[in-house]
Amino acid sequence: MVAGCYLWGALVAGYISLLVAVEEQEQKVPSLKHSLTTPLIKVEDDDALLTCVVKNQGNFTLMWKKAAKEKAGNKILTANMERITSDERLKIMHEDGGQVYVLVVRNVTIRDAGMYICELNSDPPLRSFHELKVLSATLQPPVPTESSVVTGATASTKDSVEVWGYSTERPVDHDFSPCCAARNISTVCQGFCKLKNILDGNTGVNPSDCEEEFPDIVSCMADGRNHMPCCVEAGIPEVCTDLCRGEYTVQTDNIKSMFSCSAYTAPTLACIAAGIETLPKQPQGFSAEALNDTSIRLHWLPPAKTDHLTQSYRVNVTYLQFLSPVFSVKVDTSKAKEIYPPNSALHEIPRGKTEFIINGLEKFSLYEVSMWAENKDGGKSLSTYDIKIVTHMEGDSGDPEPLESPTLPNIRSCCISNNVTHAKCVDKFCDPRNVASTQLTDLMICAPWDTEMFQCLADGKDHTPCCAAKRLPPLCQELCSGNVTDINFKYFRCLSYMNELSSCMLEGYGVLPSRPVNFRFSNLQTTFGILHWDKPDTLGDTVVDYVVKYQRITPDTGKTMSVEHAKSPFILENLDSASTYEVFVEPVNNIGTGEASTRIVFRTASRKIEDLLDSVNPYNQSSCCLKSGMKPECLPLCSYDANISEVKSLARLCADEFSKVVRCAAGGRDHLPCCARRGVPNNCQPLCQAVHQASTGADFLQCLPNIGQIITCYEEGTTKLPPPIKDFKAVSVQDGIVVLTWQVDDLNGTFNTAHFEVYYKLVEENSTGSTVFESDQQINTTVPIVKIPDLETGKKYRFFVVSRNLKGTSLPSSIVTVNVSSEAWNGTSISGASSPPHLLEVDSHSATWLQFAWNPPAITHPEDVLKYRLYYQQVSANLSKFDMVETDVTTVQLTGLTPNTQYALYSTALIVTKDTKIESTPSETLIAWTDPAFPAFVEAPTIHPINMVTEGSSMTVLCIAMGTPLPTVTLYINGHPLRSEITRHMVTMVHNVTSDMGHVSCYADNGYGTPMIASRKITISRAPTLSAPASTTVMNDDMLVLQCKVDAFPAPTMAIFRDSELKQSMMSNDRISITARGDEEDMATFYLSMEIAKVNQSDGQTYYCHANNTLGANSAPMLVNVTDQPLPVMNVTQCCLQQNVSADCLDICAFSIDFDMMIRKPQCIPQFSLMMSCASDGSDHRHCCSTGGVPSNCLDWCRGEAVEESEVCALSHSKTIVGCFHQGKENLPGKPTNIKVRPIDKNSAMVFWDLPEKNPHSVELYRVFWRPVGAKGANKSDTVQRKLVLHELHSGTTYEVVVKAGNSNGTSQLTQPLKFITADEFIIATSPVRSNVGGAVGIVLAVFIVLGLVVVVIYVMKKKNLIVLSVKKPDSPSVAFENPFYAVRDPASTAQAVSAEDYNVHISSSGSWQSEMSGTPSDRSSASSSPHSPDKNESTEMNPSMYEQISLGVNGQGFKRFK
């Protein structure tokens, strides 16, 4: 036992060492295993991105290739970053030093589809394969792949031509444009009338735009020749041979019209091109006429220009049925065919004949005739259209040859003799046969001769009665009389009656035949009837033929239809059953159409019940779907007439239901012979036996291009094939004997089930579900019970049963597995179960989960409700019991697994009924490993375009992460999460890029180790935007300083001009200095400064700061006012008294802030901050100060608060600050006054206040902050009113509230905090409290020392433009980023939670009330200013006292830089 433990421990240790060695080796060896190889499906004109991941590339070259035919070799597209192909649509996305190579194919076409290969030229070479599929609504050539080469096609030789992978002996070049033009094919679609255009893709139009004209185009393409023998020899399935017959099947939304023939397009066109040169064309003008009661005469014309290809003609005459000579008696068609079944006869006619008489036919019987041409090699033309013809009744015969028609009056001579001189008028109005085609222009041109023309046209007769009978308007009847005096615009309405006018004129001349007589019908059936008539009494001998006109009246009114060249007896066919029609006949002679016959109204017979039953499918597919437990929303798929649009729209929702759709559509029948006959590909043929195998390609959606053939077989088979059996079970088991019974689903004999076939097989120990259809023996029976003897006792047998009739078989519906022994049988019936699930496989995997998928049972009844169980256990656990999960679908994910662990699994299927669950035998056993766990790793984002991302354009960001389990990758833009996805490679297109999108980060976390974030700083290219002081006031002889700030990238060209036309630029000279510089931190920020010494009145004008780069230009005006008056004096003595400034120092407050006085009184320096607070006058001037260059550590003085480095700020920036005080005195509001709180209820209160004392009318907006006392963050809201309701307050909580006023120039200071407590309906307010500043300064200063060190480190890394940080997993990832969007104004009167540093967003940069006063100046400084850093050699320099600095000079002479 101990030795065994040592041995086991040694094996484990050795195994672990092996894993470590393999892992170390994998870290050094190149690998492509992380590449994305899932087939990519794109629609035409999309962009395709194929991702290849190479680890440990070293010095090897990575190439993208496209697979081609073996003899040609794969085509190299790229090598590393270089594009080899000439196709400019291809490019590579790759970051130097990165592992990902993305092949981008822009605007993909149908020819881009195929297999792409990512290859590393290592030894041996490494390859990953990436399939690209391109979907298109257009009819484009298929991509040449091995699967598209039709069986039977031979390799091309020097004498052959290849077309899309198909070899043909002749050039495929057939031009049938003349035929298209004759059929009025539109000009835009005539590009399809040349085969070469179709092959080259140069038709010039989208095929979908010409689909309505394709039937005529395809008919012209076949050119009346029968190309079917060639197509059949080429292996083209029947469903795809319509073009070979000159037909075109229009694809509709019906699922049965969904079939794919693209793979056979090339051989079809090759057959057509070859047949054009060798096959005869069909005869033209084919017609048939009954001569008497036993003979018919056929007439045709030989095909033009190709008669030499014709050796002979073949005529097929088919007898259909006899007809009843008694008109009141109808023949029963079915019985007639039983008595005298239809038969056909062929007649061969030599070339050169155009007429043939067939004798010896049955009297008064219905025949169908057609003909075609043949050549000496047996090649045929297409058959002519079929003509149905009726022989005469006994003793009758056809009309003799017609006599000459009477001559027309010489109307033309009459017109000429009456001086009608216009030739066109003579042609139009002096021939009654041409009057019917008169146009408006004819009537206007010929109006001068109206009297003469219509007088001659009437020929001295009044045709008004006829015109009135034809319902012409009274005005138009004047034209019939011949008495027309003047044609004006009123007669224009008569143009629509010119046909009737012409008919009346001809009738009046006495040259047209009268109506046919004795018009009648016989043998009226459901879809046809026989019409009879005799020739007219008047001019009947001149009749050439007749026109039959008919119209459906009920159940709805149809169009009037005409059939020309008719003769009695005439078969009127293609009628609707149980419908009422009106019909009449018109005689025609050489002059025109005579008088119509009487009208007959008749009703076609209704279809028999038997016929109706035959047309209804006896199988109920929808009922099957309901019984199988399909989701109600997926039921539209359960129809043989489902729409493709419905299939596509429900594909995602019903993905797990397609196996039920297939089972119920098949109906338990075996449709495989039909599918093979209809050309269903081998990979989709399992669907024909209701086997839905997604893993092998036999999937409903994958086989959608061929689903029309399959559905057609389903529908046909469910009407002909026998249904499956039900309730299959073993009712008795004895030693060596089993008795089986089942229920029959064809009790009424609808499907004529002939017998049942029982298959059985001895089950071996290692038998798996893949052998379920195998059997050793078979017994047939005609009854639903069978006794099977002579079995091996104690052995297991498997049984299944199929039904059979003359058309085929059903599928087995269940399997009974029995241990054939009395001892093993418990005396109860053993019900049949489904076959086990098969092809169990790992669909995806990770460190803590495994995703499995399997195929549904191959044998089950279509109405069975199925569930599945997946059993699993750790192999190393060596347990006898398996864990189990149960599911309704064919996939399941096992979670919570142990990384790097081996699991054993198998699955079973359950038939679920109300009371029982019948479990199948187990599937094959699968062994699967979970992945080792590796923490997430993410690369810095790759951004495209690499060189320049322009504001308003789009950029593509590629985040690449590694790790097991698969990490969650999140893209952040400036700290805001934009998109998250569980993946290794996430490509995101960011549209409408803005200038502040400067920080792009990829964050990855998979729950193991420390999450990782990688960032990249980018500068968005944009046109210049400028900020400059709108107005500056300077005194004579002072120094003028103007500074313009420019935001632009790339770097702009900057200049200052005197005029708005930008023609007079400012130049540096002895008095003027112009300098430009860029911001060290921001690559898109630039400054242009102009200094003018000893300003005079001529310098007072408007200057224009101008900047331009490649993306645009902009200008900003700067007004300069030169004055002799000093800045107004600001006396703040009263405020200084209130601030307890000592009496000895009050005179400093009397004249602005008198620095000379302060120099003489150094004892007043400690009180300088109090004086600055008074000078600020309750306003926040930090915006002005920041613009004027005051550093952040001095900005608090600009709002009247203390600063730490007061000496430095006083010496260097007091003048600028006081200048801002003067500027803001007139345009900045003071603090609101009299802030109060009024209760509303226990959760809300109203705060209100009075106008500021200073500049009350300049207020544009108020901002209110409130928070619980002691809270770090606060709520804020903006309002234009002097009141605000605070909501969502907590009763009993002490709150404090402050208010500030602001306008577009800046804001006031905050009011003193007002504390209040909500308690039911009472507010308890307290006095404003001042904070102890000094107590917090030390703590905050210590914190900022640490922060300063962090800032230095980050600053160094940012200078490299690449920051890679590893951070702990945050509750909200955005906390790791700076948020520039905080600088956006919030909507007015909308409360939101903000941090303590965010009280003065947009209006100013001031901080919170008491907390901000206790912070360090840098904590409260404006974001727009940059603190100055001392030089290293100045670090030991001693700072002089403020008094010493003043004594040395307020300009700081003798000092390099103040600290």
Side-chain angles (χ1 to χ4, degrees), residues 840-842 852-853 871 875 903-906 923-928:
L840 175 65
E841 62 182 7
V842 179
F852 295 93
Y871 295 86
V875 174
Y903 288 84
L905 312 98
Y906 68 88
S923 68
E924 63 272 25
T925 300
L926 182 68
I927 303 297

Side-chain angles (χ1 to χ4, degrees), residues 1241-1257:
D1241 53 42
K1242 64 180 180 180
N1243 298 117
S1244 59
M1246 177 184 291
V1247 57
F1248 53 99
W1249 56 89
D1250 293 336
L1251 289 168
E1253 294 180 354
K1254 174 188 173 185
N1255 298 330
H1257 300 294

